[in-house]
Amino acid sequence: MIHKLLIANRGEIACRIAKTCREMGIATVAVYSDADARALHIELADEAVHIGASPAAESYLNGAKIIAAAQRTGADAIHPGYGFLSENAAFAQAVTDAGLIWIGPTPAAIAAMGDKRRAKLLLKDVPLVPGYSGEDQSDEALITAASQIGYPLMVKAAAGGGGKGMRRVAAADGLPEALASARREALAAFGDATLILEKYIERARHIEIQIFGDTHGNVIALGERECSIQRRHQKIIEETPSTALDDDLRQRMCDAAVSVGKQISYVNAGTIEFILDEAKNFYFMEMNTRLQVEHPVTEMVTGQDLVRLQIEVAQREYLPPHIHAYGHAVEARIYAENPFNDFLPVSGKLLLWCEPSTQHIIESKRVWAWSKVIVDTGVRSGDSVTTFYDPTLAKIIAHGDNREDAILRLDYAISQIQLFGIRSNISFLRRILQHPDFIAGNISTEFIDQHTELLANEPAPPPAALIAAALAKMGDMSAYWRNNTFRPIRQTFKHDDQAITINLTPNPTSSNGANSLDVHIGEVVYHVELWSFSDQQLDLAVDGHRQRLTVVRGPAEDWWVHCSAGTFRLDWVSPLPLGRQVEESEGSLRAPMPGQVIRVNVLPGQRVAKGELLLVMEAMKMEHRITAPQAGVVTGIYFSVGQSVPQGVTLLDVHASDVE
């Protein structure tokens, strides 16, 4: 039996594992880096051990330090979560060699399936996507293979997943750059630059099957998950069951997944990932030898705690003989990123994190049979999102009797999230959930690319949000109403690059006791009643539409407002004249986030065409391309390869010219 378990991870999955261990009566040990010294997963564990500096290579990827922490605290077992060392066969073997219990598959199974290229060569009687998995990794061999496979195709890192080291290539002229960038990203993320090529299947579905094996030779399937809604080849919305599968196809895919597990004598949790084409043919892509990020949707419909099952299997217990599914579950991932700027990740401090109500959940226990909404998160108000790790903030999971119920419940739950201080993908997720094609189940891995209207423009702040920010900026409302009667007050805010002026004129107090104002925004006049204002909460009515809003001031006069329409950042514009400002060149290109320059493609004085690649940055485990916004001449390059750059700093100058 396991009495104390070390969680070799961070963030929401570390918190998730800690909660199950608490329910099982198992003590937990957290590990943390410098950046995570005040992280939530430390608070939820019984003990914690510092394992190094903020970069993952010096902490969460340092297996020797993690094993030493387990031995130091007397832990019996190590659970790796997902990411980091979860699919590292050498680490799993080292854990076992140290006399500890490894909560996961055998090192041999991890090694067999961890390399996509070798996995495809190993498995028998499993349909494979046409492609290249050869040992010759030269550009010449890959280019020749690509011409035989045909375009479009996918370049993939053989040793990894999570969208890292993956590139879609539409034509032959794009392959050399795709190979180079995929190798760099794969090497940085997984320490292995080996690549494979696969035929890109148009309008495909990404379907995965959750399997479990125990130490007594049993392998079972717990149904499928639909993971087709993706950006940057990373999943953002998952659900079960899939609208693409009937009972016969589901059984055939589950049988194929179980066959894979039995061929490698698989133990513990694993996921077999398939591509499903429009003709309902399915092809094996890869196996993830760990718990998946999206595992909660399977938990919601089966009533099984998969983390608990992992621990029980590691204790040599038998898998349950019969697992039945009920209803529908949908999960959305909340990321610190800007969907309206190529999904670039962002960093910063969380001024406020307020989760949707989950009154059906007992804090120390995930009550599957009655749960309707679950929030898995590793953050809280005051935490900082850094560039060292993945930008995942939380997962929101909803269950319903049917798909429509689950989607509606998830959309409402997401609308209740209050996240101030950094940009997120919350409004984008809601656009997807409300899209008619998504609701109808007409989805594929190309869904976001096909529906460009999802990213056509950012939501504009409604009048109520602007008025709430202006009132909050005014400060003490009681003092204002006593001393400044009838005096108009002007407040100006910027939302993105648009300046919006709000003029507030107080009226005599209304007969119902509310403070009354007339508010001018542009040419429109609104009648406003302010009912209450305290503890960052405003209760106001705009032309009779009454609602409660939350307003928080940021450190740079950035005001964050949450209302029924969403969350908005409004930057206050001072009415005082600004001091002399350093003028920025019209052609300046700035760093979209903190990171490191890993490639500079141009030289000073070089002519470039619009869209030409100028520079590549690395941040949050991903590469980010800086391209020319216009045809012109490079007049300045201010950083070289290897240098770290803060967000907003000018990287290059490109002056416009008539070059096309």
Side-chain angles (χ1 to χ4, degrees), residues 337-342 422-428 431 452-462 494-498 560 565 567-569:
E337 67 181 16
N338 185 354
F340 304 97
N341 186 20
D342 197 29
I422 59 174
R423 301 291 295 268
S424 77
N425 65 336
I426 287 176
S427 65
F428 176 66
R431 286 186 176 193
T452 55
E453 69 275 14
L454 294 168
L455 296 165
N457 59 283
E458 281 195 273
K494 289 187 73 173
H495 179 252
D496 289 334
D497 293 326
Q498 181 183 6
W560 296 78
T567 299
F568 302 90
R569 171 178 173 156

mmCIF file of all heavy atoms in Angstrom, residues 337-342 422-428 431 452-462 494-498 560 565 567-569:
data_model
loop_
_atom_site.group_PDB
_atom_site.id
_atom_site.type_symbol
_atom_site.label_atom_id
_atom_site.label_comp_id
_atom_site.label_asym_id
_atom_site.label_seq_id
_atom_site.Cartn_x
_atom_site.Cartn_y
_atom_site.Cartn_z
ATOM 1 N N GLU A 337 -3.342 33.471 -22.986
ATOM 2 C CA GLU A 337 -2.917 33.728 -24.360
ATOM 3 C C GLU A 337 -3.876 34.718 -25.001
ATOM 4 O O GLU A 337 -4.979 34.962 -24.487
ATOM 5 C CB GLU A 337 -2.886 32.433 -25.173
ATOM 6 C CG GLU A 337 -4.256 31.816 -25.399
ATOM 7 C CD GLU A 337 -4.206 30.510 -26.186
ATOM 8 O OE1 GLU A 337 -3.113 29.931 -26.304
ATOM 9 O OE2 GLU A 337 -5.265 30.068 -26.671
ATOM 10 N N ASN A 338 -3.467 35.266 -26.121
ATOM 11 C CA ASN A 338 -4.298 36.220 -26.857
ATOM 12 C C ASN A 338 -4.722 35.584 -28.185
ATOM 13 O O ASN A 338 -3.951 35.574 -29.142
ATOM 14 C CB ASN A 338 -3.532 37.519 -27.114
ATOM 15 C CG ASN A 338 -4.410 38.574 -27.760
ATOM 16 O OD1 ASN A 338 -5.560 38.321 -28.118
ATOM 17 N ND2 ASN A 338 -3.875 39.770 -27.914
ATOM 18 N N PRO A 339 -5.942 35.050 -28.267
ATOM 19 C CA PRO A 339 -6.384 34.412 -29.513
ATOM 20 C C PRO A 339 -6.416 35.369 -30.698
ATOM 21 O O PRO A 339 -6.301 34.931 -31.844
ATOM 22 C CB PRO A 339 -7.806 33.931 -29.167
ATOM 23 C CG PRO A 339 -7.859 33.887 -27.688
ATOM 24 C CD PRO A 339 -6.959 34.978 -27.216
ATOM 25 N N PHE A 340 -6.574 36.664 -30.420
ATOM 26 C CA PHE A 340 -6.696 37.640 -31.494
ATOM 27 C C PHE A 340 -5.332 38.165 -31.941
ATOM 28 O O PHE A 340 -5.246 39.086 -32.741
ATOM 29 C CB PHE A 340 -7.611 38.778 -31.049
ATOM 30 C CG PHE A 340 -8.964 38.284 -30.615
ATOM 31 C CD1 PHE A 340 -9.249 38.076 -29.276
ATOM 32 C CD2 PHE A 340 -9.935 37.975 -31.551
ATOM 33 C CE1 PHE A 340 -10.485 37.594 -28.876
ATOM 34 C CE2 PHE A 340 -11.173 37.486 -31.160
ATOM 35 C CZ PHE A 340 -11.448 37.297 -29.817
ATOM 36 N N ASN A 341 -4.267 37.569 -31.391
ATOM 37 C CA ASN A 341 -2.910 37.875 -31.834
ATOM 38 C C ASN A 341 -2.147 36.566 -32.019
ATOM 39 O O ASN A 341 -1.134 36.315 -31.368
ATOM 40 C CB ASN A 341 -2.203 38.797 -30.827
ATOM 41 C CG ASN A 341 -0.836 39.259 -31.311
ATOM 42 O OD1 ASN A 341 -0.539 39.224 -32.511
ATOM 43 N ND2 ASN A 341 0.005 39.672 -30.382
ATOM 44 N N ASP A 342 -2.682 35.712 -32.897
ATOM 45 C CA ASP A 342 -2.044 34.448 -33.253
ATOM 46 C C ASP A 342 -1.852 33.523 -32.055
ATOM 47 O O ASP A 342 -0.910 32.745 -32.004
ATOM 48 C CB ASP A 342 -0.703 34.710 -33.951
ATOM 49 C CG ASP A 342 -0.206 33.478 -34.702
ATOM 50 O OD1 ASP A 342 -1.044 32.671 -35.141
ATOM 51 O OD2 ASP A 342 1.021 33.325 -34.831
ATOM 52 N N ILE A 422 -4.371 39.497 -16.854
ATOM 53 C CA ILE A 422 -3.725 39.014 -18.071
ATOM 54 C C ILE A 422 -4.800 38.622 -19.078
ATOM 55 O O ILE A 422 -5.944 38.342 -18.717
ATOM 56 C CB ILE A 422 -2.798 37.802 -17.818
ATOM 57 C CG1 ILE A 422 -3.582 36.642 -17.212
ATOM 58 C CG2 ILE A 422 -1.616 38.181 -16.953
ATOM 59 C CD1 ILE A 422 -2.772 35.386 -17.063
ATOM 60 N N ARG A 423 -4.404 38.588 -20.337
ATOM 61 C CA ARG A 423 -5.318 38.160 -21.387
ATOM 62 C C ARG A 423 -5.535 36.655 -21.294
ATOM 63 O O ARG A 423 -4.672 35.904 -20.845
ATOM 64 C CB ARG A 423 -4.742 38.516 -22.761
ATOM 65 C CG ARG A 423 -4.469 39.980 -22.967
ATOM 66 C CD ARG A 423 -5.749 40.776 -23.034
ATOM 67 N NE ARG A 423 -6.538 40.415 -24.191
ATOM 68 C CZ ARG A 423 -6.453 41.049 -25.366
ATOM 69 N NH1 ARG A 423 -5.607 42.049 -25.531
ATOM 70 N NH2 ARG A 423 -7.222 40.687 -26.368
ATOM 71 N N SER A 424 -6.691 36.216 -21.779
ATOM 72 C CA SER A 424 -6.988 34.787 -21.804
ATOM 73 C C SER A 424 -7.824 34.471 -23.038
ATOM 74 O O SER A 424 -8.221 35.360 -23.798
ATOM 75 C CB SER A 424 -7.739 34.367 -20.535
ATOM 76 O OG SER A 424 -9.105 34.767 -20.621
ATOM 77 N N ASN A 425 -8.119 33.190 -23.214
ATOM 78 C CA ASN A 425 -8.912 32.742 -24.362
ATOM 79 C C ASN A 425 -10.371 32.519 -24.011
ATOM 80 O O ASN A 425 -11.104 31.846 -24.750
ATOM 81 C CB ASN A 425 -8.320 31.450 -24.935
ATOM 82 C CG ASN A 425 -8.414 30.286 -23.947
ATOM 83 O OD1 ASN A 425 -8.499 30.489 -22.736
ATOM 84 N ND2 ASN A 425 -8.378 29.065 -24.462
ATOM 85 N N ILE A 426 -10.840 33.080 -22.903
ATOM 86 C CA ILE A 426 -12.195 32.800 -22.429
ATOM 87 C C ILE A 426 -13.259 33.215 -23.447
ATOM 88 O O ILE A 426 -14.157 32.434 -23.782
ATOM 89 C CB ILE A 426 -12.437 33.482 -21.066
ATOM 90 C CG1 ILE A 426 -11.661 32.739 -19.974
ATOM 91 C CG2 ILE A 426 -13.921 33.520 -20.726
ATOM 92 C CD1 ILE A 426 -11.746 33.374 -18.607
ATOM 93 N N SER A 427 -13.196 34.438 -23.954
ATOM 94 C CA SER A 427 -14.226 34.883 -24.899
ATOM 95 C C SER A 427 -14.174 34.058 -26.186
ATOM 96 O O SER A 427 -15.211 33.784 -26.804
ATOM 97 C CB SER A 427 -14.056 36.372 -25.211
ATOM 98 O OG SER A 427 -12.836 36.622 -25.900
ATOM 99 N N PHE A 428 -12.983 33.638 -26.586
ATOM 100 C CA PHE A 428 -12.830 32.813 -27.785
ATOM 101 C C PHE A 428 -13.478 31.448 -27.592
ATOM 102 O O PHE A 428 -14.177 30.938 -28.484
ATOM 103 C CB PHE A 428 -11.349 32.670 -28.122
ATOM 104 C CG PHE A 428 -11.052 31.767 -29.283
ATOM 105 C CD1 PHE A 428 -11.451 32.106 -30.560
ATOM 106 C CD2 PHE A 428 -10.374 30.577 -29.105
ATOM 107 C CE1 PHE A 428 -11.191 31.284 -31.644
ATOM 108 C CE2 PHE A 428 -10.102 29.739 -30.167
ATOM 109 C CZ PHE A 428 -10.514 30.094 -31.448
ATOM 110 N N ARG A 431 -17.167 31.740 -27.974
ATOM 111 C CA ARG A 431 -17.565 31.869 -29.374
ATOM 112 C C ARG A 431 -17.665 30.492 -30.033
ATOM 113 O O ARG A 431 -18.576 30.224 -30.816
ATOM 114 C CB ARG A 431 -16.556 32.721 -30.143
ATOM 115 C CG ARG A 431 -16.636 34.206 -29.847
ATOM 116 C CD ARG A 431 -15.703 34.973 -30.765
ATOM 117 N NE ARG A 431 -15.836 36.412 -30.569
ATOM 118 C CZ ARG A 431 -15.337 37.319 -31.401
ATOM 119 N NH1 ARG A 431 -14.672 36.936 -32.478
ATOM 120 N NH2 ARG A 431 -15.495 38.605 -31.165
ATOM 121 N N THR A 452 -13.082 31.585 -39.798
ATOM 122 C CA THR A 452 -12.263 32.766 -39.489
ATOM 123 C C THR A 452 -13.042 33.831 -38.742
ATOM 124 O O THR A 452 -12.441 34.699 -38.113
ATOM 125 C CB THR A 452 -11.699 33.359 -40.791
ATOM 126 O OG1 THR A 452 -12.783 33.631 -41.696
ATOM 127 C CG2 THR A 452 -10.738 32.378 -41.461
ATOM 128 N N GLU A 453 -14.379 33.755 -38.790
ATOM 129 C CA GLU A 453 -15.175 34.748 -38.064
ATOM 130 C C GLU A 453 -14.979 34.650 -36.551
ATOM 131 O O GLU A 453 -15.227 35.610 -35.818
ATOM 132 C CB GLU A 453 -16.667 34.586 -38.393
ATOM 133 C CG GLU A 453 -17.334 33.329 -37.858
ATOM 134 C CD GLU A 453 -17.185 32.104 -38.756
ATOM 135 O OE1 GLU A 453 -16.343 32.154 -39.680
ATOM 136 O OE2 GLU A 453 -17.905 31.111 -38.542
ATOM 137 N N LEU A 454 -14.500 33.497 -36.094
ATOM 138 C CA LEU A 454 -14.227 33.347 -34.665
ATOM 139 C C LEU A 454 -13.143 34.306 -34.191
ATOM 140 O O LEU A 454 -13.085 34.665 -33.008
ATOM 141 C CB LEU A 454 -13.801 31.906 -34.352
ATOM 142 C CG LEU A 454 -14.862 30.820 -34.543
ATOM 143 C CD1 LEU A 454 -14.219 29.448 -34.487
ATOM 144 C CD2 LEU A 454 -15.947 30.952 -33.473
ATOM 145 N N LEU A 455 -12.252 34.699 -35.123
ATOM 146 C CA LEU A 455 -11.125 35.569 -34.788
ATOM 147 C C LEU A 455 -11.192 36.891 -35.540
ATOM 148 O O LEU A 455 -10.196 37.606 -35.636
ATOM 149 C CB LEU A 455 -9.809 34.857 -35.114
ATOM 150 C CG LEU A 455 -9.526 33.602 -34.293
ATOM 151 C CD1 LEU A 455 -8.414 32.793 -34.921
ATOM 152 C CD2 LEU A 455 -9.164 33.976 -32.862
ATOM 153 N N ALA A 456 -12.369 37.211 -36.073
ATOM 154 C CA ALA A 456 -12.481 38.403 -36.915
ATOM 155 C C ALA A 456 -12.223 39.681 -36.140
ATOM 156 O O ALA A 456 -11.601 40.617 -36.625
ATOM 157 C CB ALA A 456 -13.868 38.446 -37.562
ATOM 158 N N ASN A 457 -12.703 39.760 -34.929
ATOM 159 C CA ASN A 457 -12.499 40.961 -34.121
ATOM 160 C C ASN A 457 -12.712 40.630 -32.653
ATOM 161 O O ASN A 457 -13.430 39.700 -32.297
ATOM 162 C CB ASN A 457 -13.465 42.071 -34.550
ATOM 163 C CG ASN A 457 -14.922 41.622 -34.413
ATOM 164 O OD1 ASN A 457 -15.429 40.871 -35.232
ATOM 165 N ND2 ASN A 457 -15.588 42.061 -33.369
ATOM 166 N N GLU A 458 -12.063 41.413 -31.820
ATOM 167 C CA GLU A 458 -12.237 41.240 -30.393
ATOM 168 C C GLU A 458 -13.582 41.781 -29.950
ATOM 169 O O GLU A 458 -14.092 42.744 -30.526
ATOM 170 C CB GLU A 458 -11.140 41.977 -29.633
ATOM 171 C CG GLU A 458 -9.827 41.252 -29.590
ATOM 172 C CD GLU A 458 -8.921 41.852 -28.530
ATOM 173 O OE1 GLU A 458 -8.202 42.803 -28.837
ATOM 174 O OE2 GLU A 458 -8.962 41.364 -27.398
ATOM 175 N N PRO A 459 -14.177 41.201 -28.922
ATOM 176 C CA PRO A 459 -15.427 41.758 -28.389
ATOM 177 C C PRO A 459 -15.191 43.181 -27.875
ATOM 178 O O PRO A 459 -14.186 43.463 -27.224
ATOM 179 C CB PRO A 459 -15.779 40.803 -27.241
ATOM 180 C CG PRO A 459 -15.003 39.556 -27.499
ATOM 181 C CD PRO A 459 -13.755 39.985 -28.211
ATOM 182 N N ALA A 460 -16.117 44.089 -28.178
ATOM 183 C CA ALA A 460 -16.023 45.473 -27.696
ATOM 184 C C ALA A 460 -16.686 45.577 -26.326
ATOM 185 O O ALA A 460 -17.676 44.893 -26.057
ATOM 186 C CB ALA A 460 -16.697 46.416 -28.684
ATOM 187 N N PRO A 461 -16.143 46.406 -25.444
ATOM 188 C CA PRO A 461 -16.762 46.553 -24.129
ATOM 189 C C PRO A 461 -18.138 47.187 -24.234
ATOM 190 O O PRO A 461 -18.313 48.189 -24.937
ATOM 191 C CB PRO A 461 -15.786 47.462 -23.377
ATOM 192 C CG PRO A 461 -15.033 48.186 -24.448
ATOM 193 C CD PRO A 461 -14.952 47.251 -25.603
ATOM 194 N N PRO A 462 -19.153 46.656 -23.569
ATOM 195 C CA PRO A 462 -20.487 47.251 -23.600
ATOM 196 C C PRO A 462 -20.521 48.524 -22.747
ATOM 197 O O PRO A 462 -19.623 48.761 -21.927
ATOM 198 C CB PRO A 462 -21.372 46.158 -23.002
ATOM 199 C CG PRO A 462 -20.459 45.408 -22.085
ATOM 200 C CD PRO A 462 -19.105 45.435 -22.736
ATOM 201 N N LYS A 494 -8.765 53.568 -22.919
ATOM 202 C CA LYS A 494 -8.421 52.931 -24.195
ATOM 203 C C LYS A 494 -8.699 51.442 -24.082
ATOM 204 O O LYS A 494 -8.308 50.793 -23.108
ATOM 205 C CB LYS A 494 -6.943 53.158 -24.545
ATOM 206 C CG LYS A 494 -6.607 54.582 -24.931
ATOM 207 C CD LYS A 494 -5.170 54.705 -25.428
ATOM 208 C CE LYS A 494 -5.004 54.108 -26.806
ATOM 209 N NZ LYS A 494 -3.653 54.356 -27.372
ATOM 210 N N HIS A 495 -9.393 50.926 -25.087
ATOM 211 C CA HIS A 495 -9.567 49.486 -25.210
ATOM 212 C C HIS A 495 -8.819 49.071 -26.462
ATOM 213 O O HIS A 495 -9.195 49.441 -27.572
ATOM 214 C CB HIS A 495 -11.042 49.115 -25.325
ATOM 215 C CG HIS A 495 -11.264 47.641 -25.485
ATOM 216 N ND1 HIS A 495 -11.674 47.066 -26.665
ATOM 217 C CD2 HIS A 495 -11.112 46.613 -24.605
ATOM 218 C CE1 HIS A 495 -11.772 45.759 -26.505
ATOM 219 N NE2 HIS A 495 -11.444 45.461 -25.264
ATOM 220 N N ASP A 496 -7.712 48.323 -26.272
ATOM 221 C CA ASP A 496 -6.755 48.100 -27.353
ATOM 222 C C ASP A 496 -6.266 49.471 -27.821
ATOM 223 O O ASP A 496 -5.719 50.207 -27.039
ATOM 224 C CB ASP A 496 -7.375 47.262 -28.465
ATOM 225 C CG ASP A 496 -7.561 45.814 -28.020
ATOM 226 O OD1 ASP A 496 -6.814 45.367 -27.135
ATOM 227 O OD2 ASP A 496 -8.454 45.135 -28.542
ATOM 228 N N ASP A 497 -6.505 49.835 -29.064
ATOM 229 C CA ASP A 497 -5.989 51.115 -29.554
ATOM 230 C C ASP A 497 -7.078 52.174 -29.689
ATOM 231 O O ASP A 497 -6.822 53.264 -30.211
ATOM 232 C CB ASP A 497 -5.311 50.922 -30.915
ATOM 233 C CG ASP A 497 -4.040 50.089 -30.801
ATOM 234 O OD1 ASP A 497 -3.354 50.203 -29.764
ATOM 235 O OD2 ASP A 497 -3.753 49.325 -31.738
ATOM 236 N N GLN A 498 -8.280 51.886 -29.241
ATOM 237 C CA GLN A 498 -9.384 52.829 -29.392
ATOM 238 C C GLN A 498 -9.630 53.577 -28.090
ATOM 239 O O GLN A 498 -9.845 52.969 -27.035
ATOM 240 C CB GLN A 498 -10.662 52.099 -29.813
ATOM 241 C CG GLN A 498 -11.847 53.039 -30.002
ATOM 242 C CD GLN A 498 -13.118 52.298 -30.335
ATOM 243 O OE1 GLN A 498 -13.148 51.071 -30.320
ATOM 244 N NE2 GLN A 498 -14.182 53.031 -30.638
ATOM 245 N N TRP A 560 -9.945 46.524 -14.923
ATOM 246 C CA TRP A 560 -10.498 45.269 -15.418
ATOM 247 C C TRP A 560 -11.939 45.153 -14.945
ATOM 248 O O TRP A 560 -12.228 45.289 -13.754
ATOM 249 C CB TRP A 560 -9.677 44.089 -14.912
ATOM 250 C CG TRP A 560 -8.272 44.105 -15.442
ATOM 251 C CD1 TRP A 560 -7.238 44.888 -15.005
ATOM 252 C CD2 TRP A 560 -7.754 43.330 -16.520
ATOM 253 N NE1 TRP A 560 -6.113 44.646 -15.741
ATOM 254 C CE2 TRP A 560 -6.392 43.689 -16.679
ATOM 255 C CE3 TRP A 560 -8.291 42.365 -17.361
ATOM 256 C CZ2 TRP A 560 -5.582 43.111 -17.644
ATOM 257 C CZ3 TRP A 560 -7.489 41.784 -18.320
ATOM 258 C CH2 TRP A 560 -6.148 42.162 -18.456
ATOM 259 N N ALA A 565 -21.307 40.373 -20.427
ATOM 260 C CA ALA A 565 -20.746 40.268 -21.776
ATOM 261 C C ALA A 565 -19.324 39.742 -21.790
ATOM 262 O O ALA A 565 -18.770 39.466 -22.859
ATOM 263 C CB ALA A 565 -20.791 41.629 -22.475
ATOM 264 N N THR A 567 -15.132 39.808 -19.872
ATOM 265 C CA THR A 567 -14.130 40.548 -19.099
ATOM 266 C C THR A 567 -13.364 41.465 -20.048
ATOM 267 O O THR A 567 -12.945 41.031 -21.130
ATOM 268 C CB THR A 567 -13.160 39.591 -18.391
ATOM 269 O OG1 THR A 567 -13.902 38.767 -17.484
ATOM 270 C CG2 THR A 567 -12.099 40.358 -17.613
ATOM 271 N N PHE A 568 -13.127 42.705 -19.613
ATOM 272 C CA PHE A 568 -12.512 43.700 -20.481
ATOM 273 C C PHE A 568 -11.440 44.468 -19.720
ATOM 274 O O PHE A 568 -11.624 44.818 -18.552
ATOM 275 C CB PHE A 568 -13.563 44.681 -21.006
ATOM 276 C CG PHE A 568 -14.670 44.013 -21.757
ATOM 277 C CD1 PHE A 568 -15.818 43.580 -21.091
ATOM 278 C CD2 PHE A 568 -14.561 43.765 -23.115
ATOM 279 C CE1 PHE A 568 -16.834 42.935 -21.772
ATOM 280 C CE2 PHE A 568 -15.574 43.120 -23.809
ATOM 281 C CZ PHE A 568 -16.710 42.704 -23.135
ATOM 282 N N ARG A 569 -10.325 44.719 -20.418
ATOM 283 C CA ARG A 569 -9.278 45.585 -19.879
ATOM 284 C C ARG A 569 -9.442 46.971 -20.492
ATOM 285 O O ARG A 569 -9.503 47.130 -21.713
ATOM 286 C CB ARG A 569 -7.890 45.044 -20.210
ATOM 287 C CG ARG A 569 -6.779 46.037 -19.861
ATOM 288 C CD ARG A 569 -5.390 45.523 -20.133
ATOM 289 N NE ARG A 569 -4.419 46.597 -19.932
ATOM 290 C CZ ARG A 569 -3.146 46.398 -19.642
ATOM 291 N NH1 ARG A 569 -2.686 45.168 -19.514
ATOM 292 N NH2 ARG A 569 -2.332 47.417 -19.477
#
